[in-house]
């Protein structure tokens, strides 16, 4: 069990009276890209948000079950969600840079978590994060320009840089390319593949092609259930469940 | 593609053990949250303190202390008193005679003289004489007089004066307090609800006991009539034009900017406007509720326009389209469909605007509607609009600015009356909103 | 002819016109309403509007123009060079004329006696005093003469006014009725008329602004002719005297604006943190239940009339502060000698301003997109870090706008400072000392007993002008920022 970075057992999520996630078990490996696919409203984003307790910010949301990261129950009352989220970073569907400079956007996380002892170290973190997010060459001359002035694809890479600057161990991505054009999407996908070397990446996507391109493991969600989970190649070429097959062949969705 | 070792994850650490930094951050979080609670609590505490203070200082204004005395004046006594040179003195003697008999009946023994009576009850002789001269039929009948005690005596009951702090003066002597106590113990001196405060007019600067807010409340009423009948139609018409008909151009933009700025212009500037346009230029009568109403109308209009436009905007375009679709003109669609649907919101906004106008003081002072003008009730509708009068808040200000502390109690009492009106108006607005609230 | 009579006749005419218009329209269609161009009511409305609008418009213009024309003609009789003396004399003339009319109305004089009165033989001042009309000085023959002329002209004017207005109403009546045929496009005409009325209503707001600006400008110019501008704007002493005429008064603006700014800053020091933290708590932390109680509670603070705050400052907060900071007080310092002080007014005004800061800031903080919060939480920021480092910077322009609006409110606030701040103008640095403000002095100069045309009174208009300009700049700037901010997140 400790082989897995994240292991979830019997996870149930309720939004008020709605049962959004029904008894989901999933184990996610380290240094792997895992894709969650499924039709809209199937619960894949909701499940993703339980992994770093982002659902805590929604009053009516309740989570039951057992989710462990590195063997620790993240819903234990002793766990501080703030520390958890530093360890499990997140990138959102729509690029959401803060209305600050590019530099301040990336430096925000390291600053609040106290990762840098001095300005030089902070500069170093910012530079390496931007490099890892493949934004350094475009941004290095305008670090003090507002982050909101970048193009959509650049903004999303800035958000990725911002997320990796806090040195997380897991990176959650909630449809990171849905607001981007094809070229920007390709850049981000390439980036995800690079990131796999240092993090375990969980990506929610509504694009099956994208899941096939970037992930090693794929989980198919339908109506709040985890229908099938396995090697990406197998899911796309030889699914076991008829529902997975219909979705992949375009009959539900 | 780059060197990844520089930010390699830190040594594994349990999530369940908060590190020093996280503890510090969480403490900061708690502090920050506490600031918010403290800020709101200060607002709440102030509100409580204000309410407590208003009630404590203002409620006594609704109590007055009277000496009750049954007097039977015979025709002979009346004729005798009327034939004397000092008529009121004669009546004072009659009063003292009755008073003495009454006290003896109740078995109260306390020394007093005519001067003490005058200090406690004012010029009783004059009051009694004027009563009998107006009610000649009551001669020979037993009449119960309720004579109001002087404001100094009221001050004694209400704690403004006590035996330790009293300074002998021509208004009240320390020895008078013995009489007062004896009268109260025997039930001759009783307290009752002070209707005179609610129905009365302003009094002279040395008679806080006789001051009432009634006349200025009538002044406020006439002003509010002017405000209602001018600002509602003008405000609604202006809003309909701006919201439904006005072309979107620089001029309309300018009008809109102008309205939102006008809503933030200090109220006293409207007072200056009223003084120079309505009084200096148009020669309308000074201190008249009509002028006050006009000034307050101009002041309230921007508020009403802003809230009316919001109500019109909340009516969905589909209603307009539906009316236009069956061949109604634009004007018909607005007046037949949009306006009735927006009406509850418009009325709510208007009532809130009126409540604001009712509490406004500064502009009224500039056009002469100060408290001491409220000496007489108007004798008709025209006189109500045109004759000098005051308004409740201006009356309160006048009392607050007077030297005699007895007026402070009146000022607080006046505030209670004013706030009751405001509460009623706001309750009506909330009721309308709740009853007609519509979600599209 | 009295105003009320004219208006009632015109309204009656309009009502009759409506009824006749409807009848005529129906009969022009031989009783078949379907072939009328418009609904029958529109024909009536058209007649009524044609009667009402032009005649009442002329009446309004006449009401404004007549006194001006009469003043001009009468003041020619007085032959006074100085414009100030001129307007003083005119006030007397007007009062005498009105007094004579009142005397006739009360039956104290016959109209013949009033018309033939001789100032040499009759003491007009006494006579008018008896019927309750007070005239400032003895009535000279010139004044009486001018007053008689004034009465004559007013009388003629009011008859002419009645005649002209009724003639226009009747003409409208006849014209509108004569045009009615079954094909007459009554609805279009009425709607155009209504549109014009709506535009007129919308322009009231603009006229108000123009009225404010003109009345301030003209009176300020008058003041600056009687009192040197440099002494006003840069004078450091405010010592008006009502006994002498001008000259001996010092009307320096600086101590007043100093007091205004001092008190406003104290109030903002109270209101901004309290309002801002309340807004943050309400929008970010509070549960819906707490919010539904706390938000209206703060709004009550905004609904309380300022006179209540003023009284509270004068009678409760002032004495409380003295017992803390006065001689022999709680802190053993002797900083405060009287209850009315900059601090008293500033504290209470600060409480009054809390809702102005909080409710606008609340709206503005709520307008910051949720994505910003998510982004910050996703990085492991605590809620307070998110608020301080992401939300507040994002909302800053809007919050600055809210604070500027509150500042403009503070500068223009009158009753709290009139009652709570004291009357002595001083350039002191001690917040526990009595100070006075621009608004408080406007009230005291215009409600005093001074002659209306003395610089001591006229200075109030110059003060009003500066007050208006300062608050207008703040408002325009603040509303501009807030509007730009809202557009950003729309």
């Amino acid at each position: 069990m400790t082989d897995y970075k994240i292991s979830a057992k019997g996870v149930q999520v309720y939004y008020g009276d709605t049962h959004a996630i029904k008894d989901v078990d999933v184990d996610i490996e380290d240094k792997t890209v895992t894709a969650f696919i499924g039709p809209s409203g199937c619960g894949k984003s909701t499940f993703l948000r339980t992994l770093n307790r982002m659902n805590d910010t929604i009053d009516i949301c309740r989570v039951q079950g057992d989710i462990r990261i590195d063997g620790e129950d993240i819903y234990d009352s002793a766990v501080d969600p703030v520390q958890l989220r530093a360890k499990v970073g997140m990138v959102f569907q729509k690029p959401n840079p803060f209305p600050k400079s590019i530099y301040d956007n990336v430096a925000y996380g390291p600053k609040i978590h106290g990762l840098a002892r001095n300005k030089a170290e902070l500069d170093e973190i910012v530079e390496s994060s931007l490099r890892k997010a493949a934004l350094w060459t475009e941004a290095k001359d305008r670090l003090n320009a507002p982050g909101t002035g970048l193009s959509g694809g650049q903004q999303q890479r800035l958000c990725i840089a911002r997320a990796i600057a806090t040195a997380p161990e897991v990176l959650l991505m909630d449809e990171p390319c849905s607001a981007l054009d094809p070229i920007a999407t390709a850049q981000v996908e390439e980036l995800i593949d690079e990131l796999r070397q240092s993090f375990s990446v969980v990506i929610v996507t509504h694009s099956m092609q994208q899941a096939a391109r970037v992930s090693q493991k794929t989980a198919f969600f339908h109506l709040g259930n985890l229908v099938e989970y396995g090697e990406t190649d197998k899911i796309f070429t030889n699914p076991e469940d008829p529902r997975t097959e219909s979705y992949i062949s375009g009959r539900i969705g | 593609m780059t060197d990844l070792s520089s930010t390699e994850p830190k040594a594994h650490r349990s999530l369940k053990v908060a590190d020093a930094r996280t503890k510090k951050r969480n403490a900061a979080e708690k502090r920050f949250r506490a600031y918010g609670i403290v800020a709101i609590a200060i607002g709440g505490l102030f509100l409580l303190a204000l309410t407590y203070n208003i009630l404590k200082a203002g409620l006594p204004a609704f109590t007055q202390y009277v000496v009750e005395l049954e007097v039977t004046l015979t025709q002979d006594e009346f004729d005798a008193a009327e034939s004397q040179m000092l008529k009121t003195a004669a009546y004072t003697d009659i009063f003292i005679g009755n008073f003495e008999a009454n006290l003896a009946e109740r078995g109260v023994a306390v020394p007093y003289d005519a001067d003490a009576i005058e200090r406690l009850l004012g010029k009783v002789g004059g009051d009694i004489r004027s009563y009998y001269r107006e009610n000649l039929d009551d001669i020979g009948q037993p009449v119960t007089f309720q004579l109001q005690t002087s404001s100094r005596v009221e001050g004694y009951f209400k704690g403004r004066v006590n035996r330790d702090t009293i300074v002998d003066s021509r208004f009240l002597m320390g020895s008078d307090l013995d009489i007062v106590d004896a009268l109260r113990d025997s039930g001759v001196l009783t307290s009752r609800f002070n209707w005179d405060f609610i129905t009365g007019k302003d009094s002279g600067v040395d008679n806080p006991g006789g001051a009432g807010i009634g006349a200025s409340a009538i002044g406020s009423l006439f002003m509010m009539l002017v405000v209602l009948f001018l600002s509602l139609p003008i405000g609604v018409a202006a809003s309909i034009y701006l919201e439904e008909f006005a072309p979107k151009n620089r001029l309309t933009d300018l009008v809109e900017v102008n309205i939102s700025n006008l809503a933030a212009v200090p109220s006293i500037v409207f007072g200056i406007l009223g003084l120079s346009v309505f009084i200096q230029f148009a020669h309308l009568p000074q201190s008249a509720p009509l002028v006050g109403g006009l000034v307050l109308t101009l002041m309230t209009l921007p508020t009403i326009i802003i809230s009316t436009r919001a109500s019109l905007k909340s009516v969905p375009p589909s209603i307009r389209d539906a009316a236009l679709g069956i061949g109604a003109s634009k004007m018909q669609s607005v007046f037949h469909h949009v306006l009735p649907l927006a009406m509850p919101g418009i009325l709510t906004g208007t009532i809130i605007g009126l409540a604001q106008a009712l509490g406004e003081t500064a502009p009224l002072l500039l056009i002469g509607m100060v408290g001491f003008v409220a000496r007489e009730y108007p004798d008709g509708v025209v006189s109500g609009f045109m004759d000098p009068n005051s308004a409740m808040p201006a009356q309160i200000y006048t009392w607050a600015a007077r030297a005699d502390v007895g007026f402070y109690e009146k000022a607080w009492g006046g505030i209670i009356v004013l706030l009751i009106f405001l509460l009623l108006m706001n309750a009506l607005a909330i009721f309308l909103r709740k009853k007609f609230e519509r979600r599209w | 002819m009295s105003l009320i009579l004219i208006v009632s006749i015109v309204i009656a005419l309009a009502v009759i016109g409506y009824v006749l218009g409807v009848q005529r329209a129906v009969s022009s269609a031989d009783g078949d309403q379907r072939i009328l161009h418009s609904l029958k009511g529109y024909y009536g409305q058209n007649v009524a509007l044609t009667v009402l609008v032009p005649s009442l418009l002329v009446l309004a213009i006449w009401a404004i123009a007549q006194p001006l024309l009469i003043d001009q003609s009468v003041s020619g009789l007085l032959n006074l060079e100085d414009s100030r003396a001129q307007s003083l004399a005119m006030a007397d003339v007007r009062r005498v004329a009105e007094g004579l009319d009142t005397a006739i109305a009360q039956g104290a004089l016959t109209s013949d006696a009033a018309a033939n009165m001789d100032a040499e033989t009759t003491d007009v001042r006494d006579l008018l005093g008896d019927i309750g009309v007070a005239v400032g000085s003895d009535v000279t023959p010139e004044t009486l003469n001018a007053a008689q002329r004034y009465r004559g002209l007013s009388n003629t004017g009011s008859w002419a006014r009645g005649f002209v207005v009724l003639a226009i109403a009747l003409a409208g009546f006849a014209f509108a009725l004569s045009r009615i045929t079954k094909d007459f496009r009554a609805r279009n005409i009425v709607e155009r008329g209504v549109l014009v009325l709506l535009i007129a209503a919308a322009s009231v707001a603009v006229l108000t602004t123009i009225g404010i600006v003109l009345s301030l400008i003209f009176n300020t110019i008058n003041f600056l002719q009687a009192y040197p501008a440099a002494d006003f704007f840069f004078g450091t002493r405010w010592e008006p005297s009502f006994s002498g005429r001008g000259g001996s008064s010092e009307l320096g603006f600086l101590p007043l604006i100093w007091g205004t700014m001092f008190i406003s800053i104290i109030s903002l020091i109270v209101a901004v943190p309290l309002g801002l933290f309340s807004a943050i708590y309400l929008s970010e932390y509070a549960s819906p239940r707490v919010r539904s109680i706390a938000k209206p509670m703060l709004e009550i603070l905004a609904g309380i009339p300022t006179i209540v705050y003023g009284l509270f400052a004068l009678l409760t907060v002032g004495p409380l502060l003295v017992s803390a900071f006065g001689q022999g007080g709680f802190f053993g310092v002797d900083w405060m000698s009287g209850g009315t002080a900059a601090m008293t007014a500033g504290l209470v005004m600060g409480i009054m301003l809390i809702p102005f800061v909080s409710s606008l800031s609340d709206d503005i903080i709520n307008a910051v997109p949720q994505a910003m919060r998510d982004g910050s939480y996703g990085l492991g920021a605590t809620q307070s870090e998110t608020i301080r480092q992401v939300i507040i910077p994002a909302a800053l322009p809007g919050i600055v706008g809210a604070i500027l609006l509150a500042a403009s409110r503070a500068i223009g606030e009158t009753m709290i400072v009139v009652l709570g701040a004291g009357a002595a103008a001083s350039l002191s640095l001690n917040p526990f000392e009595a100070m006075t403000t621009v608004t408080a002095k406007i009230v005291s100069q215009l409600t005093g007993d001074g002659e209306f045309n003395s610089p001591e009174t006229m200075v109030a208009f110059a003060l009003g002008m500066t007050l208006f300009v300062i608050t207008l700049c703040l408002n325009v700037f603040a509303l501009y920022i807030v509007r730009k901010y809202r557009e950003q997140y729309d």
Side-chain angles (χ1 to χ4, degrees):
Chain A
M1 184 176 116
T2 44
D3 296 354
Y4 297 112
K5 190 70 185 170
I6 304 174
S7 84
K9 284 212 166 33
V11 176
Q12 318 266 1
V13 180
Y14 300 88
Y15 276 112
D17 295 332
T18 320
H19 198 172
I21 296 287
K22 297 161 190 162
D23 200 20
V24 167
D25 296 346
V26 90
D27 292 316
I28 289 164
E29 291 164 25
D30 202 5
K31 312 255 190 264
T32 321
V33 177
T34 308
F36 291 173
I37 60 169
S40 307
C42 67
K44 52 194 192 301
S45 288
T46 303
F47 184 69
L48 189 77
R49 289 167 69 99
T50 62
L51 299 181
N52 70 344
R53 293 183 57 173
M54 274 303 280
N55 283 331
D56 287 15
T57 59
I58 301 165
D59 289 332
I60 55 164
C61 184
R62 274 182 306 123
V63 178
Q64 291 171 358
D66 186 65
I67 303 177
R68 286 172 187 277
I69 293 183
D70 291 333
E72 279 187 311
D73 181 1
I74 61 167
Y75 280 88
D76 190 291
S77 58
V79 168
D80 193 328
V82 165
Q83 276 178 308
L84 170 70
R85 289 181 201 141
K87 187 168 171 171
V88 184
M90 188 154 192
V91 175
F92 297 84
Q93 187 171 357
K94 231 181 100 192
N96 55 353
F98 301 135
K100 299 164 174 269
S101 69
I102 294 173
Y103 182 94
D104 285 340
N105 260 286
V106 181
Y108 178 72
K111 265 191 204 156
I112 58 175
H113 295 295
L115 299 185
R117 279 183 296 265
N118 52 42
K119 179 81 168 79
E121 277 189 22
L122 192 61
D123 288 348
E124 203 182 323
I125 294 176
V126 170
E127 181 178 339
S128 74
S129 307
L130 283 171
R131 276 189 199 285
K132 272 185 272 181
L135 194 60
W136 178 249
T137 41
E138 289 149 86
K140 67 174 183 234
D141 299 325
R142 45 196 279 209
L143 287 176
N144 290 317
T148 43
L150 296 169
S151 74
Q154 288 172 323
Q155 284 191 8
Q156 193 62 299
R157 277 179 286 151
L158 176 63
C159 291
I160 293 172
R162 190 175 69 185
I164 57 189
T166 56
E169 296 168 32
V170 181
L171 199 56
L172 308 177
M173 300 181 132
D174 189 358
E175 302 192 26
C177 301
S178 66
L180 304 184
D181 61 51
I183 295 168
T185 302
Q187 285 173 319
V188 171
E189 284 178 5
E190 199 179 316
L191 178 60
I192 292 170
D193 204 46
E194 302 256 353
L195 294 173
R196 178 159 66 95
Q197 297 169 31
S198 6
F199 314 103
S200 69
V201 178
V202 185
I203 175 170
V204 164
T205 173
H206 59 242
S207 150
M208 282 171 286
Q209 291 83 349
Q210 184 172 59
R213 283 196 298 266
V214 299
S215 71
Q216 287 78 51
K217 291 291 217 54
T218 295
F220 171 62
F221 284 80
H222 186 235
L223 301 175
N225 295 302
L226 176 62
V227 175
E228 197 168 344
Y229 177 50
E231 297 292 329
T232 301
D233 292 347
K234 181 168 174 298
I235 298 267
F236 279 97
T237 52
N238 188 17
E240 279 170 16
D241 197 285
R243 285 173 291 176
T244 318
E245 197 187 346
S246 343
Y247 179 68
I248 286 166
S249 54
R251 263 174 282 159
I252 48 175
Chain B
M1 65 178 185
T2 40
D3 174 29
L4 288 168
S5 62
S6 64
T7 54
E8 228 11 66
K10 290 170 291 183
H12 179 77
R13 209 172 48 200
S14 169
L15 289 170
K16 293 183 186 173
V17 183
D19 57 35
R21 187 177 173 83
T22 311
K23 279 185 189 147
K24 234 169 79 188
R25 288 170 61 198
N26 284 340
E29 170 73 27
K30 283 210 185 77
R31 274 201 307 277
F32 191 78
R33 210 183 155 108
Y35 295 151
I37 296 175
V38 167
I40 291 180
I42 289 178
L45 277 179
F46 178 86
L47 206 56
L48 280 181
L50 186 65
T51 315
Y52 171 77
N53 194 58
I54 289 174
L55 291 178
K56 182 167 166 280
L59 282 180
F62 295 92
T63 309
Q64 65 180 184
Y65 294 88
V66 290
V67 166
E68 247 182 23
L69 187 68
E70 197 184 275
V71 174
T72 310
L73 185 80
T74 62
Q75 187 68 43
D76 292 347
E77 282 174 313
F78 178 72
D79 292 341
E82 283 297 310
S83 64
Q84 288 195 19
M85 272 290 279
L86 298 168
K87 297 186 177 68
T88 52
Y91 282 97
T92 307
D93 291 341
I94 293 171
F95 171 81
I96 289 177
N98 277 285
F99 188 59
E100 202 152 334
N102 197 306
L103 290 193
E105 203 174 295
R106 295 180 191 238
V108 184
V110 66
Y112 63 91
D113 54 22
D115 287 346
I117 294 291
E118 189 175 323
R119 285 196 296 272
L120 298 184
L121 299 176
K123 303 208 180 294
V124 284
D127 294 347
I128 293 175
R129 175 169 184 240
S130 56
Y131 176 81
Y132 279 113
R133 282 171 63 88
E134 279 168 30
N135 302 284
L136 289 170
D137 295 345
D138 281 349
I139 294 172
Q141 311 284 330
V143 177
T144 305
F145 282 96
Q146 293 195 322
L147 295 159
Q148 201 190 333
T149 54
S150 76
S151 64
R152 304 295 166 129
V153 176
E154 291 204 348
Y156 170 62
F157 284 118
K158 291 167 182 170
R160 289 198 297 270
V161 181
N162 64 40
R163 283 173 181 277
D164 300 329
T165 60
I166 188 164
V167 179
D168 285 357
S169 71
R170 66 186 175 89
F171 297 115
L172 193 65
M173 312 278 278
S175 57
D176 295 343
L177 296 181
D178 297 332
I179 310 174
V180 169
D181 284 343
L183 293 179
R184 190 185 47 189
D185 293 342
S186 65
V188 177
L189 200 164
T190 52
S191 63
R192 64 169 185 187
F193 188 77
N194 190 356
W195 282 109
D196 294 341
F197 176 64
I198 293 179
T199 59
K201 310 156 194 167
D202 192 20
S203 62
V205 288
D206 50 2
N207 177 23
I213 199 158
S216 53
I218 296 293
S220 283
L221 173 76
F222 277 103
M223 278 198 321
M224 288 304 114
L225 287 178
V226 176
V227 178
L228 179 63
F229 285 108
L230 286 180
S231 66
L232 184 60
I234 297 179
V236 170
S239 312
I240 288 179
Y241 177 72
L242 291 173
E243 199 57 44
E244 307 282 342
F245 293 100
K248 294 277 165 273
N249 58 25
R250 299 283 293 270
L251 194 69
T252 317
D253 242 24
L254 199 71
V255 175
E256 290 189 14
V257 170
N258 173 48
I259 287 174
S260 45
N261 277 311
L262 214 49
V265 166
S267 62
I268 190 150
V269 172
F270 285 95
I272 295 181
L273 170 77
L275 177 63
S276 44
V277 171
F278 296 131
I279 293 177
Q280 257 188 300
F281 182 71
H283 299 305
L284 287 173
Q286 215 170 6
S287 311
L290 174 70
V291 179
L294 288 174
V295 170
L296 294 182
T297 299
L298 295 183
M299 203 192 80
T300 329
L301 210 48
T303 322
I304 290 184
I305 292 178
I306 289 169
S307 74
T308 303
R309 291 189 62 184
S311 317
L312 290 174
K313 212 176 276 175
S314 73
V315 176
S318 60
I319 302 276
R320 296 172 180 81
D321 295 345
L324 294 178
I326 52 170
S329 70
K330 176 93 186 160
M331 194 68 79
Q332 284 169 327
S333 85
V334 171
F335 278 92
H336 296 170
H337 300 282
V338 179
L339 192 57
L341 289 173
M343 216 52 205
I346 295 173
L347 288 181
T348 309
T350 307
I351 294 171
I352 289 172
L354 280 182
Q356 250 177 37
L358 184 62
E360 193 55 66
T361 321
L364 302 184
L365 300 180
L366 297 197
I367 55 163
M369 296 186 74
V370 278
F372 53 78
V373 174
R375 283 290 172 72
E376 291 303 328
Y377 275 102
D379 20 276
V381 175
V382 176
S383 146
F385 285 118
M386 304 303 282
D387 280 358
N389 201 339
S390 184
M392 282 190 282
Q395 177 73 73
I396 293 167
Y397 165 71
T398 305
W399 285 336
R402 282 187 184 158
D404 191 328
V405 288
F407 279 111
Y408 291 168
E409 174 193 291
K410 298 287 169 182
W412 287 115
I415 278 177
I416 292 180
V417 176
L418 178 64
L419 289 180
I420 287 174
F421 279 111
L422 291 182
L423 273 179
L424 289 178
M425 290 169 86
N426 280 294
L428 182 65
I430 292 171
F431 170 78
L432 280 176
R433 189 182 306 165
K434 284 264 181 308
K435 187 162 160 82
F436 297 103
E437 193 171 49
R438 206 187 298 255
R439 292 231 175 258
W440 301 97
Chain C
M1 211 183 284
S2 85
L3 205 63
I4 294 176
L5 184 66
I6 298 176
V7 173
S8 353
I9 294 178
V10 170
I11 289 175
L13 216 51
V15 173
I16 298 168
Y18 179 86
V19 176
L20 289 182
V22 170
Q23 278 174 5
R24 198 177 151 92
V26 173
S27 66
S28 78
D30 300 326
D32 184 358
Q33 291 181 21
R34 287 171 305 170
I35 63 168
L36 284 174
H37 169 270
S38 312
L39 291 172
K40 61 179 180 181
Y42 281 112
Y43 293 89
Q45 285 171 27
N46 180 38
V47 180
L49 281 175
T50 323
V51 171
L52 284 176
V53 175
S55 58
L56 293 185
L57 200 66
V58 168
L59 186 62
I61 294 170
W62 197 295
I64 295 169
Q66 178 175 315
L68 291 180
L69 292 174
I70 293 181
D71 271 17
Q72 204 159 19
S73 139
V74 172
S75 62
L77 289 177
L78 294 170
N79 272 330
L80 288 169
E81 298 283 311
D82 181 8
S83 74
R84 189 138 56 84
Q86 180 93 353
S87 59
L88 273 177
M90 269 315 291
D92 270 353
V93 167
R94 225 172 281 124
R95 210 164 301 154
V96 171
E98 279 160 17
L100 290 175
D101 285 338
T102 318
I104 294 168
Q106 290 184 352
L109 280 176
T110 62
S111 48
D112 280 349
N116 301 320
M117 187 173 286
D118 185 353
E120 305 286 350
T121 55
T122 322
D123 189 341
V124 183
R125 190 180 177 188
D126 263 9
L127 192 128
L128 295 178
D130 285 347
I131 54 161
V133 178
V135 181
S137 54
D138 276 332
V139 179
T140 60
E142 289 81 41
T143 309
L144 186 64
N145 186 17
Q148 299 290 16
R149 175 75 181 275
Y150 184 93
R151 285 183 60 220
L153 285 175
S154 301
N155 210 8
T156 322
S158 83
W159 277 105
R161 177 180 70 184
F163 179 75
V164 169
V165 169
L166 291 185
I168 291 173
L170 276 172
F173 184 86
F175 173 71
L177 269 183
S178 71
R179 283 217 294 173
I180 293 177
T181 61
K182 68 178 167 38
D183 296 323
F184 180 59
R185 298 155 74 90
R187 183 178 58 73
N188 309 41
I189 307 262
V190 168
E191 289 189 350
R192 211 173 306 148
V194 171
L195 190 63
V196 171
L197 288 180
L198 295 183
I199 294 175
S203 56
V204 169
V206 181
L207 289 178
T208 307
T209 309
I210 295 173
I212 290 176
V213 171
L214 288 184
S215 62
L216 288 174
I217 287 181
F218 280 123
N219 286 306
T220 304
I221 290 174
N222 272 349
F223 165 70
L224 292 178
Q225 280 168 353
Y227 193 87
D231 289 0
F232 171 67
F233 283 110
F234 304 107
T236 55
R237 277 146 49 92
W238 176 269
E239 281 154 13
S241 86
F242 278 110
S243 49
R245 284 288 209 78
S248 57
S249 287
E250 295 260 12
L251 300 171
F253 175 64
L254 290 179
L256 303 187
I257 193 71
W258 171 256
T260 305
M261 292 300 157
F262 204 134
I263 292 172
S264 302
I265 286 169
I266 294 176
S267 71
L268 289 178
I269 289 173
V270 174
V272 170
L274 288 178
L276 211 49
F277 273 113
S278 303
I280 288 169
Y281 188 83
L282 287 178
S283 58
E284 298 290 318
Y285 288 106
S287 65
R289 233 176 69 89
V290 172
R291 197 179 151 86
S292 72
I293 297 169
K295 207 172 151 65
M297 182 198 82
L298 288 180
E299 273 157 16
I300 289 178
L301 288 177
I304 296 175
T306 53
I307 177 79
V308 180
Y309 285 104
L311 204 61
F312 191 67
L314 174 71
L315 298 182
T316 310
V317 176
L320 206 69
L321 286 176
V322 172
S323 70
F325 298 102
Q327 196 174 12
F330 183 74
F331 292 109
V333 288
D334 183 13
W335 290 343
M336 201 168 172
S337 52
T340 53
M343 190 53 110
T344 312
L347 282 181
V348 174
M349 201 193 288
I351 300 281
M352 183 199 83
L353 291 178
I354 291 177
F356 289 97
V357 178
S358 75
S359 73
L360 192 51
S361 303
D362 188 10
D363 289 354
I364 279 160
I365 289 172
N366 276 330
V368 176
Q370 183 61 29
M372 295 282 160
R373 295 179 179 84
D374 282 350
S376 179
Y377 296 145
L379 292 171
T382 64
Q383 214 168 346
S384 64
E385 285 160 351
T386 306
I387 293 165
R388 276 192 313 228
Q389 299 184 32
V390 177
I391 296 178
I392 299 291
L396 198 61
I399 291 173
V400 169
I403 293 173
L404 288 181
L405 281 180
S408 137
R409 256 286 193 312
I411 291 171
E413 173 48 43
T414 310
M415 293 322 290
I416 296 179
V417 290
V418 166
L419 286 169
S426 80
L427 275 167
S428 164
L429 271 170
N430 179 0
F432 295 100
E433 202 163 287
M435 276 185 204
T436 196
T437 67
V438 174
T439 50
K441 282 301 146 194
I442 293 176
V443 170
S444 68
Q445 298 312 104
L446 284 178
T447 54
D449 302 322
E451 292 284 357
F452 194 81
N453 286 293
S454 65
E456 287 82 1
T457 306
M458 297 299 284
V459 69
F461 292 101
L463 293 176
M465 184 84 204
T466 49
L467 178 69
F468 181 70
V469 170
I470 293 171
T471 53
L472 188 72
C473 291
L474 278 175
N475 294 340
V476 170
F477 187 51
L479 290 169
Y480 172 79
I481 301 181
V482 171
R483 196 158 142 176
K484 273 271 162 287
Y485 171 79
R486 290 241 161 97
E487 279 165 8
Q488 179 192 338
Y489 289 122
D490 262 353

